[in-house]
Amino acid sequence: MIGEKMIAQVIVDVAAKQTDRIFEYNIPTALTDVTVGSRVVVPFGRRKVQGFVVGITDKTEYKGKLKDLLVVVDEMPPLTPELVELSAILAKKIFSYRITILQTMLPRVMKANYRKILTPIDKATAQLDLFSGEPIDLDEVTDLKKIVQIKKLIKTNKAKIEYLVENKAKKKEEFVYQPNLGAHVYPEIKTSLRKNAINQLALITDLIDNIASYPKTGKELQEQLHLNSAILKQAVEKGWLKRTKKETYRDPLAEVDTKNVPKDIVLNKDQENALNEINKAITAKKAQPFLLEGVTGSGKTEVYLHAIQKALASKRNALMLVPEISLTPQMVEQVKARFGSSVAVLHSGLSTGERYDEWRRIRRGEAQVVVGARSAVFAPLQNIGLIIIDEEHESSYKQEDNPRYHARDVALLRSKYHNCPVVLGSATPSLASRARAQKGNYQLLRLTQRANKKALPEVKLVDLKHVEFAGGQFDLSVELVDKIKEKIAKKEQVILLLNRRGFANFMLCRSCGYVMQCPNCDISLTMHKDTGMMECHYCGHKEPIPRKCPKCGETKIRFLGTGTQKVEEELKELIPASKILRMDVDTTRRKGSYKKILDQFGEGKADILLGTQMIAKGLDFPNVTLVGVINADTSLQVPDYNASEKTFDLLTQVSGRAGRADKKGEVMIQTYNPEHYAIQLAQNQDYESFYQKEMVVRHQGNYPPFFYTILISIASKNEQAAAKFAFVVKRKLMEQLHAPTIILGPTPSSIAKIKNQYFYQILVKYKKEDKLIPILHELQDEAQKIKKQGLNVYIDNEPERII
DNA sequence: AGCACGCCGACT
DNA sequence: GTCGGCGTGCTC
């Protein structure tokens, strides 16, 4: 190829329908390291933008004159050819721009910063007060007079705009020192030193005695020899030491304690069988999806860890996804204890710097095992031999905003590329996955016994329609309160679930019936007693708690709909001696507070852990013998087709928190719907019956997994405009799609207004519809045009939530 | 998405 | 006459 003109195909960093395609550039001969996956800077119109090379070619269809690539940003291309290819496949599937997907594959710091700088052309201009010696950042100029002046300068050709592309990513570097002279020279230096040069003496002595331990970092030298940086600087100047820069990594696992984790656990028969099947697929390099269905406590994690071991033993790497919420130190410790420094962790708790460093370790092949939340599915791991998705039913694997990808789908695509198995694990698999296992698309593996041989906890339903309440409120039954007291007396611990934060759900005036609403959203304001505010959980609007009705002025106002804060207060009154930890979004907002609360509970510093659904998953506290669900109905009342599934999952998962060690566990579920099948079957932890029953319901309702779904949302501040355009879209769909396809809506979404925008939705349910994808891409085209009129269109392929 | 070009109404 | 409002079209 030498001597031939090479051309780079680039996806530019301009997220728009019109620019969502390849632009071609000449590769100047000076740039030798341009390959597929390179991050580059290119001229684009008048500007410079970042872009990614997705192809290299030697011929072009382009009629104009190609421009040259300007810069290759990184020494190593950040994207692998696999990820470049994956971005193209995904873009078509999820109605997202390719550049948006490429950017989500990379750490946030790799997104470019753009600046416009005004620079004077002649000396006289440079002397103007405006510049005061410095170039001007045009994005920061707000003074109108200055803007006028600047425009004039540009027009008269006295100043010009320079477009800059900045790289935010900063590598952490430290200084490394090594001997600069032969070993025999240092004793000579030692004798020539003045007696009071204690620090220099210490350094030279160390160089004589421990020369083999060099090179040392500045930090090490300073700590070991109690030196300061001035001494090191001198030593370099005198030629004793040579100083170089070395890149280091910020290590998020530095504090993780790995001592107390058991390393070798004997698998039971079920686990052994499952592992064998997975291992076979690893060895055979087969892109086989497995559904690992196992009751809570059946030891799925052990199977994962053994399978990872197998992958590593076969000289291949492993990727393990867990829901953000269960990416607890407990979990990380387990993995780290097995695989040590070959583990990299990616999750939202890391600082951007830590995240970047972990990511680079993976990219360079320095990590063999990656554990992370949703976005870790894009980890630049090569030679993957195994992908694990724990708690595969979790809806957090679906990203709720653009790009709306599902980590499970991405994992399946990657497994095909790498020819490796995917293990989807859950106690309550998603109906979609379970159905695929039924059809034989996935291989079903079952763990039927709890690893510790303990019986599942006994679950009791408390029918709130016929029950005596404690303490004059209508939240806690006497039965539940008595049980809590009994456990506390035995020095055992209790977990209480209430899937609603705040103090009270809404404020009602008994005099005029007024309910206090959010001015921006179509939803009632939640009362937060601790902050003294009425808060909107959708847009964050806050206002003080009223003392009288804002409408009629009467003081007969009531706060209804119990949240975690209120239950906390009631419990303190009913069981004054109890110590309660509350865990919800409000108490875990600060970094590290999540871990802090769990640590306190684990150390037995509290009797009751009261929280929203974030306490339902994955927690493992041996002393917890009672789990109470204060209201099982909250998640049933959601108007989503999968409300039953979510309820069943939540109840089953939270029940699994009870009795994880030697002590027997008990669960009490309070509900107004004790006859509902999701609740009944959760009582028996009977996933199989739930699956059968729910499949019938879904079949009757023409819902997934029998139909594919696409949700089109149209939002605008102008309600009529949103509704009108929604009907236009519907008409278009009706004209072009054929009979078995079902088009529902448009209807206002169940919360019709969020952040001052009205939402109208159309749900398309289809089995086979070739035209749909092109039609939706057309719609996306149109969406961009009408965006200026304040109309937003969102397309969600396989939505998890239909609000 | 930006940015420029161009066309039209409203001002020094 | 010029300024600046926004609609339209292009970026290798």
Side-chain angles (χ1 to χ4, degrees):
Chain A
M1 292 284 188
I2 297 162
E4 264 182 75
K5 269 268 178 217
M6 292 308 277
I7 292 163
Q9 302 183 309
V10 175
I11 298 290
V12 291
D13 178 17
V14 182
K17 191 77 203 179
Q18 287 144 295
T19 50
D20 188 28
R21 60 187 177 86
I22 283 166
F23 287 87
E24 291 175 325
Y25 293 86
N26 280 322
I27 303 175
T29 42
L31 299 183
T32 52
D33 47 356
V34 181
T35 60
V36 170
S38 292
R39 180 164 61 135
V40 293
V41 177
V42 295
F44 196 64
R46 189 156 298 240
R47 303 179 284 158
K48 288 176 200 165
V49 296
Q50 194 170 82
F52 295 95
V53 177
V54 298
I56 306 264
T57 169
D58 56 2
K59 50 181 175 284
T60 174
E61 309 267 276
Y62 188 61
K63 295 285 179 291
K65 190 174 170 349
L66 294 184
K67 293 183 180 175
D68 281 359
L69 281 186
L70 299 175
V71 182
V72 180
V73 184
D74 320 84
E75 307 97 89
M76 186 185 216
L79 294 158
T80 60
E82 179 214 351
L83 291 174
V84 169
E85 193 187 311
L86 180 64
S87 71
I89 302 171
L90 271 184
K92 277 192 206 132
K93 242 180 126 148
I94 60 175
F95 305 96
S96 187
Y97 305 128
R98 196 160 171 198
I99 187 67
T100 315
I101 296 171
L102 289 168
Q103 274 162 353
T104 42
M105 288 176 165
L106 301 176
R108 214 178 307 266
V109 283
M110 292 181 95
K111 198 167 170 358
N113 247 354
Y114 296 102
R115 287 212 295 159
K116 281 158 60 183
I117 301 290
L118 187 75
T119 44
I121 288 174
D122 53 58
K123 273 203 174 142
T125 315
Q127 301 299 313
L128 291 171
D129 289 348
L130 181 72
F131 289 99
S132 61
E134 296 273 305
I136 294 169
D137 193 328
L138 284 178
D139 294 320
E140 277 160 28
V141 181
T142 46
D143 186 340
L144 276 174
K145 271 190 199 155
K146 280 189 183 170
I147 292 174
V148 172
Q149 193 189 0
I150 290 168
K151 278 195 175 155
K152 204 164 250 169
L153 286 173
I154 295 169
K155 212 167 185 184
T156 54
N157 219 3
K158 287 184 170 147
K160 64 174 183 200
I161 300 175
E162 268 187 81
Y163 294 86
L164 294 187
V165 182
E166 284 175 354
N167 189 2
K168 278 182 281 188
K170 291 272 179 295
K171 289 169 195 160
K172 193 177 171 191
E173 288 181 324
E174 58 185 9
F175 290 117
V176 179
Y177 298 86
Q178 59 195 94
N180 197 32
L181 306 166
H184 59 281
V185 190
Y186 292 103
E188 284 171 37
I189 295 173
K190 190 174 175 180
T191 53
S192 71
L193 283 174
R194 291 212 318 248
K195 278 217 171 97
N196 57 353
I198 305 165
N199 289 329
Q200 295 188 21
L201 195 65
L203 175 62
I204 294 293
T205 311
D206 190 54
L207 274 163
I208 295 167
D209 298 345
N210 307 314
I211 197 152
S213 65
Y214 283 77
K216 287 186 181 180
T217 67
K219 202 177 157 197
E220 281 168 350
L221 282 169
Q222 290 184 28
E223 279 172 8
Q224 291 169 9
L225 307 174
H226 308 287
L227 304 176
N228 56 40
S229 56
I231 299 290
L232 295 174
K233 203 177 158 198
Q234 271 178 31
V236 173
E237 279 166 8
K238 291 186 180 175
W240 300 347
L241 290 174
K242 204 177 130 191
R243 192 176 81 168
T244 46
K245 268 187 183 175
K246 196 185 102 187
E247 211 182 288
T248 57
Y249 298 125
R250 287 150 276 216
D251 184 3
L253 295 180
E255 289 168 32
V256 168
D257 178 14
T258 57
K259 285 191 285 290
N260 304 323
V261 184
K263 297 208 175 184
D264 261 320
I265 288 175
V266 181
L267 299 184
N268 66 30
K269 195 108 186 121
D270 281 348
Q271 290 172 313
E272 200 71 58
N273 287 341
L275 180 65
N276 280 341
E277 292 298 313
I278 299 164
N279 283 353
K280 260 193 260 167
I282 294 173
T283 318
K285 300 198 170 182
K286 195 174 168 207
Q288 172 69 49
F290 291 96
L291 180 60
L292 180 63
E293 184 188 321
V295 291
T296 52
S298 61
K300 291 185 288 291
T301 310
E302 248 346 283
V303 176
Y304 303 152
L305 295 177
H306 277 80
I308 292 173
Q309 230 148 27
K310 176 72 180 177
L312 295 183
S314 324
K315 293 271 172 284
R316 301 179 83 193
N317 302 324
L319 175 60
M320 173 161 162
L321 302 184
V322 293
E324 183 70 56
I325 202 113
S326 52
L327 204 59
T328 56
Q330 279 182 348
M331 161 101 241
V332 174
E333 273 167 30
Q334 270 192 53
V335 181
K336 179 98 180 174
R338 295 291 170 94
F339 307 110
S341 61
S342 54
V343 181
V345 182
L346 294 170
H347 63 90
S348 65
L350 303 182
S351 71
T352 51
E354 286 172 337
R355 209 184 156 82
Y356 179 48
D357 288 356
E358 286 292 90
W359 180 89
R360 269 181 312 141
R361 283 182 55 218
I362 301 165
R363 179 66 187 96
R364 293 182 169 184
E366 292 167 27
Q368 283 76 52
V369 180
V370 175
V371 181
R374 178 180 60 223
S375 64
V377 76
F378 295 117
L381 204 60
Q382 298 191 60
N383 190 20
I384 299 175
L386 173 68
I387 304 176
I388 290 162
I389 302 189
D390 188 28
E391 309 290 348
E392 68 89 30
H393 61 280
E394 275 288 299
S395 55
S396 66
Y397 283 124
K398 175 77 188 285
Q399 177 146 320
E400 287 290 334
D401 42 49
N402 272 332
R404 297 169 193 260
Y405 66 92
H406 198 302
R408 190 204 301 136
D409 299 338
V410 178
L412 290 166
L413 287 169
R414 294 197 76 179
S415 99
K416 276 188 194 140
Y417 183 93
H418 289 278
N419 294 312
C420 72
V422 179
V423 178
L424 308 172
S426 176
T428 54
S430 63
L431 277 236
S433 296
R434 181 62 184 78
R436 277 180 209 163
Q438 193 75 46
K439 279 172 85 180
N441 296 343
Y442 299 171
Q443 188 178 334
L444 185 58
L445 304 171
R446 280 210 176 98
L447 305 181
T448 50
Q449 40 180 307
R450 283 189 129 182
N452 54 14
K453 301 249 170 65
K454 288 290 146 198
L456 283 167
E458 186 188 307
V459 182
K460 182 159 198 236
L461 297 185
V462 178
D463 183 353
L464 292 176
K465 281 174 292 187
H466 317 97
V467 87
E468 195 186 331
F469 284 100
Q473 301 284 339
F474 299 97
D475 305 313
L476 298 162
S477 63
V478 171
E479 210 177 340
L480 179 59
V481 173
D482 285 348
K483 203 61 165 180
I484 296 171
K485 284 180 183 162
E486 180 192 319
K487 296 294 181 189
I488 294 178
K490 281 202 251 170
K491 300 262 181 268
E492 294 172 355
Q493 288 176 301
V494 179
I495 285 180
L496 289 180
L497 171 81
L498 176 60
N499 211 359
R500 190 187 276 157
R501 67 192 173 94
F503 188 90
N505 207 13
F506 60 98
M507 188 224 87
L508 174 79
C509 172
R510 281 196 295 162
S511 174
C512 70
Y514 175 77
V515 172
M516 201 165 175
Q517 297 268 113
C518 173
N520 310 317
C521 310
D522 182 25
I523 196 153
S524 62
L525 293 175
T526 301
M527 196 263 260
H528 284 247
K529 207 167 184 179
D530 51 354
T531 56
M533 290 285 176
M534 302 294 292
E535 296 181 10
C536 173
H537 287 179
Y538 281 82
C539 72
H541 170 84
K542 281 181 196 179
E543 54 187 283
I545 299 171
R547 299 185 162 274
K548 52 189 185 188
C549 174
K551 196 175 169 208
C552 70
E554 291 285 332
T555 53
K556 287 191 216 158
I557 52 177
R558 296 282 309 258
F559 295 94
L560 302 172
T562 302
T564 44
Q565 289 179 22
K566 185 168 178 215
V567 169
E568 185 182 13
E569 207 175 280
E570 286 174 29
L571 283 168
K572 274 182 190 157
E573 230 166 83
L574 290 165
I575 318 174
S578 64
K579 285 196 212 77
I580 305 164
L581 283 169
R582 196 181 94 221
M583 192 157 114
D584 51 34
V585 177
D586 301 307
T587 61
T588 54
R589 214 160 261 148
R590 281 217 330 274
K591 197 184 169 183
S593 48
Y594 178 83
K595 183 181 185 309
K596 203 173 146 195
I597 294 174
L598 292 181
D599 284 349
Q600 281 178 13
F601 191 63
E603 289 160 16
K605 288 184 182 151
D607 308 301
I608 301 172
L609 179 65
L610 165 68
T612 53
Q613 60 180 327
M614 66 172 71
I615 63 164
K617 326 263 162 131
L619 303 184
D620 193 349
F621 294 109
N623 199 31
V624 171
T625 54
L626 174 66
V627 166
V629 178
I630 290 163
N631 188 341
D633 309 325
T634 42
S635 60
L636 261 189
Q637 289 150 1
V638 181
D640 276 354
Y641 74 85
N642 54 14
S644 295
E645 185 181 354
K646 295 288 162 230
T647 304
F648 178 84
D649 287 354
L650 185 64
L651 295 178
T652 311
Q653 300 279 340
V654 77
S655 301
R657 302 308 114 219
R660 292 185 70 90
D662 327 327
K663 295 164 194 159
K664 188 171 178 295
E666 284 179 80
V667 179
M668 265 194 189
I669 299 175
Q670 300 194 131
T671 172
Y672 284 99
N673 297 295
E675 67 294 331
H676 192 285
Y677 66 94
I679 291 174
Q680 292 257 323
L681 295 168
Q683 180 186 13
N684 303 324
Q685 311 259 314
D686 187 354
Y687 174 77
E688 207 44 43
S689 301
F690 177 78
Y691 165 69
Q692 301 294 350
K693 168 81 186 161
E694 182 68 5
M695 284 295 270
V696 174
V697 175
R698 298 283 179 92
H699 186 68
Q700 283 166 351
N702 299 327
Y703 273 108
F706 296 96
F707 276 75
Y708 298 112
T709 54
I710 284 189
L711 183 70
I712 304 162
S713 309
I714 290 120
S716 170
K717 296 203 170 175
N718 177 343
E719 184 169 7
Q720 282 186 10
K724 203 172 147 194
F725 188 70
F727 276 102
V728 172
V729 173
K730 159 112 172 190
R731 201 173 317 127
K732 197 169 203 170
L733 292 170
M734 294 285 275
E735 278 163 16
Q736 308 206 36
L737 303 182
H738 64 281
T741 298
I742 301 164
I743 305 167
L744 297 179
T747 47
S749 61
S750 65
I751 300 164
K753 185 174 72 160
I754 298 171
K755 294 182 193 171
N756 277 326
Q757 289 217 48
Y758 292 88
F759 281 77
Y760 275 76
Q761 301 181 319
I762 298 168
L763 185 67
V764 183
K765 301 195 276 187
Y766 65 102
K767 284 195 160 162
K768 188 176 178 336
E769 193 63 85
D770 299 332
K771 282 191 210 149
L772 186 58
I773 303 299
I775 292 174
L776 291 176
H777 278 114
E778 227 173 274
L779 173 63
Q780 217 182 7
D781 243 344
E782 215 168 320
Q784 177 139 7
K785 284 180 199 141
I786 57 170
K787 206 166 179 176
K788 289 187 197 110
Q789 299 158 39
L791 272 161
N792 292 310
V793 180
Y794 307 99
I795 303 172
D796 193 351
N797 198 349
E798 296 301 323
E800 282 282 333
R801 274 193 334 197
I802 305 167
I803 29 167

